[in-house]
């Protein structure tokens, strides 16, 4: 009976551990379109879309930026929105001071990048391998 409980406990630990690792890192790329070949948007808080990738670079979803038309406070609002989605890293052409401060406060990293979303993702994944 102890062997069965031990086996079930190990199975639960492995299953939840693997699920956590797969969901641990999420990368949001501020994008001009909903494709991985689209350009990284010049401004994070008011970009049209966010492409959300897992830590392995697999596209999970392409979502509309709900704050792209906000009159004020778009940066901190977007930072909260992305953090609630589990994003741990953001890429954009530029980040305003308020958004970068809000991301730092939430423990979310960021990179300013110009080029395609695909190239940005490749750079991030290569940098993580080097570390």
């Amino acid at each position: 009976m102890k062997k069965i409980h031990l086996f079930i406990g190990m199975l639960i630990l492995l299953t939840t551990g693997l699920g956590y690792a797969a969901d641990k890192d999420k990368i949001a790329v501020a994008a001009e379109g909903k494709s991985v070949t689209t350009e990284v948007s010049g401004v994070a808080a008011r970009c049209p879309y966010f492409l959300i990738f897992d830590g392995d670079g697999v596209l999970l979803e392409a979502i509309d930026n709900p704050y792209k038309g906000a009159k004020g406070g778009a940066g901190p609002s977007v930072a909260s929105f992305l953090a609630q989605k589990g994003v741990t890293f953001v890429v954009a052409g530029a980040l305003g001071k308020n958004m970068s401060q809000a991301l730092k406060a939430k423990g979310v990293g960021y990179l300013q990048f110009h080029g395609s979303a695909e190239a940005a993702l490749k750079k991030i994944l290569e940098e993580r391998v080097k570390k």
Side-chain angles (χ1 to χ4, degrees), residues 3-124:
K3 288 182 183 180
I4 292 173
H5 287 282
L6 180 61
F7 175 74
I8 291 172
M10 287 174 33
L11 187 61
I12 290 170
L13 180 63
L14 284 172
T15 305
T16 57
L18 291 174
Y20 175 75
D23 293 338
K24 186 168 79 169
D25 291 325
K26 284 189 180 177
I27 302 162
V29 177
E32 291 297 322
K34 292 186 173 185
S35 164
V36 296
T37 59
T38 194
E39 289 297 304
V40 172
S41 183
V43 181
R46 301 198 186 273
C47 69
Y49 307 100
F50 285 102
L51 304 178
I52 310 293
F53 297 89
D54 69 10
D56 295 322
V58 175
L59 180 64
L60 300 174
E61 61 181 325
I63 55 175
D64 291 335
N65 177 357
Y67 300 100
K68 64 185 167 207
K71 292 183 181 189
S77 296
V78 167
S80 292
F81 171 71
L82 293 175
Q84 288 173 356
K85 292 193 94 28
V87 169
T88 57
F89 201 83
V90 176
V91 179
L95 290 98
K97 182 178 87 170
N98 291 339
M99 183 166 179
S100 61
Q101 287 176 346
L103 289 171
K104 283 181 190 176
K106 296 185 179 308
V108 176
Y110 58 88
L111 169 71
Q112 295 187 99
F113 185 89
H114 298 283
S116 71
E118 192 172 42
L121 187 62
K122 183 178 177 183
K123 179 177 176 139
I124 293 165

